[in-house]
Amino acid sequence: MLQGRHLIEPGDFSLEEMDRLFALAERIEEEPGYLRESCRGKLLALLFFEPSTRTRLSFEAAMLRLGGSCLGFADPGSSSSAKGESLADTVRMAASYADAIVMRNPKEGAALVASRYASVPVINAGDGGHHHPTQTLTDLLTIRRLRRSIGNFTIGYCGDLRFGRTVHSLAKALARYPKVRMVFISPPELRTPEYITAGILKKERIEYLETGRLETVIGELDALYMTRVQRERFFNEEDYIRLKDSYILDAPKLKAARDSLIILHPLPRVSEIAPEVDADPRAAYFKQARYGMFIRMALLVSILGAVKLAGD
Ligand code: NCD
């Protein structure tokens, strides 16, 4: 039962609970009117201390499509945190107005702290370079829709694997599914943190490989998860400029890839996927963004207890 629960990191829900969310999201996608009024009278607080387009708008679209309403801020400069208000106080206050809180914050661990002070469910919409569990639900739903199941495949993650929270969350989540092989493709400076590789993958005996070259592995992949170099998390601009174009996926590189490859990206993209790739049937990133709205609808109705599912 997900009613009243927080979602701070990908391990918070069981595989069965996630499966039920995927099935619900698929039903919502197929039957546009389904659950249309289920959140009427409910309020969702969107506290975005960091820029966001997809995540914030897809939560807002999800809530509005369910008949509910949203309040909040997209720019911390316009909130009382600019006056020095603590996160705990901002969250306590938001919890007294709204039925659930969605929060993005540049500090790792901020969502967990928020959940300790909130009397309503807190959904982590990204805490610094740490986790982004609703992007992971989006990614898993996309894989399930396009490959029919999650598991028995090889996924490559490419780009900024050090600061890219979407990769941390997805790798952690995929480690729970059967026979997933992972290839981490990054420059040495942007390697995946050890708490993911040594801490989770080695411990769970997940087969993985770290490499610097996309060209040499692209032909082995069933899914390729491209990421943006996270400029805002660099300490100096020179390093960012040196590393930002480490990998650019374009048509010549894709010649060596499988016809069945699915190309994913959490977006926003900067230069890591050439626009010519958008017309390639293997490009799945815009579909992925749309699935993000359906899975957030499924998540909100479940957390708010607005729909009772079989097994709940
Ligand atoms: C990602 C994020 O915020 O971590 N974007 C998103 O939520 N769709 C990826 C990114 O910003 O590069």
Side-chain angles (χ1 to χ4, degrees):
M1 166 122 148
L2 294 182
Q3 183 174 358
R5 299 254 298 272
H6 303 296
L7 176 59
I8 308 302
E9 59 110 334
D12 287 345
F13 293 170
S14 69
L15 293 186
E16 295 70 35
E17 286 167 336
M18 292 201 286
D19 259 0
R20 271 190 259 151
L21 284 179
F22 299 142
L24 183 56
E26 284 166 2
R27 170 137 188 222
I28 295 170
E29 183 195 356
E30 278 155 24
E31 266 179 69
Y34 180 54
L35 302 178
R36 187 177 278 151
E37 291 298 314
S38 61
C39 288
R40 173 79 48 216
K42 302 265 187 207
L43 268 178
L44 181 66
L46 299 169
L47 311 183
F48 277 73
F49 295 88
E50 234 190 23
S52 170
T53 307
R54 252 149 310 272
T55 306
R56 188 171 53 82
L57 293 188
S58 68
F59 266 112
E60 195 167 339
M63 194 59 179
L64 296 176
R65 280 174 180 251
L66 294 167
S69 312
C70 301
L71 74 170
F73 54 84
D75 167 20
S78 69
S79 80
S80 282
S81 68
K83 299 181 186 164
E85 185 175 55
S86 70
L87 180 63
D89 285 2
T90 306
V91 162
R92 271 194 197 110
M93 182 276 313
S96 69
Y97 300 153
D99 300 291
I101 295 173
V102 175
M103 190 182 84
R104 171 171 287 188
N105 194 287
K107 290 204 184 93
E108 285 81 10
L112 182 64
V113 171
S115 69
R116 300 209 168 120
Y117 291 95
S119 51
V120 300
V122 172
I123 300 172
N124 181 10
D127 60 327
H130 195 217
H131 278 299
H132 192 348
T134 65
Q135 181 64 45
T136 297
L137 290 173
T138 303
D139 303 338
L140 295 175
L141 175 64
T142 309
I143 294 168
R144 174 174 144 131
R145 296 288 281 113
L146 301 181
R147 287 188 50 81
R148 285 166 202 275
S149 70
I150 307 169
N152 298 301
F153 77 128
T154 300
I155 182 166
Y157 310 96
C158 179
D160 184 349
L161 309 187
R162 178 176 174 197
F163 298 115
R165 56 193 171 199
T166 58
V167 169
H168 306 160
S169 286
L170 183 57
K172 185 168 181 188
L174 281 174
R176 301 161 79 194
Y177 287 88
K179 297 205 186 97
V180 180
R181 194 175 156 255
M182 305 191 190
V183 183
F184 295 90
I185 308 146
S186 75
E189 296 90 333
L190 299 180
R191 278 176 65 179
T192 317
E194 287 203 350
Y195 82 89
I196 300 283
T197 46
I200 298 171
L201 304 181
K202 245 194 209 130
K203 230 168 85 201
E204 301 292 328
R205 303 207 184 147
I206 308 295
E207 191 186 333
Y208 74 90
L209 170 84
E210 290 186 276
T211 175
R213 284 183 54 86
L214 176 59
E215 288 87 338
T216 52
V217 293
I218 196 165
E220 320 169 7
L221 306 177
D222 300 301
L224 171 59
Y225 197 94
M226 293 297 294
T227 63
R228 169 180 77 89
V229 175
Q230 307 272 306
R231 180 184 207 154
E232 66 278 27
R233 307 208 199 283
F234 274 76
F235 296 111
N236 68 69
E237 185 74 3
E238 275 158 45
D239 284 350
Y240 168 72
I241 290 169
R242 183 167 54 81
L243 293 166
K244 75 180 172 54
D245 292 326
S246 299
Y247 303 99
I248 296 176
L249 185 67
D250 54 14
K253 279 205 191 85
L254 276 169
K255 286 217 170 80
R258 295 182 179 165
D259 288 344
S260 58
L261 177 75
I262 54 173
I263 306 165
L264 304 170
H265 191 308
L267 303 177
R269 113 179 99 178
V270 186
S271 51
E272 59 281 359
I273 301 183
E276 69 202 23
V277 176
D278 299 356
D280 189 302
R282 294 169 287 188
Y285 31 91
F286 293 117
K287 269 189 211 150
Q288 185 183 357
R290 186 162 165 79
Y291 290 139
M293 178 179 73
F294 297 125
I295 197 70
R296 290 182 174 104
M297 289 173 77
L299 178 67
L300 289 172
V301 285
S302 306
I303 275 186
L304 292 169
V307 67
K308 290 274 173 279
L309 300 177
D312 264 3

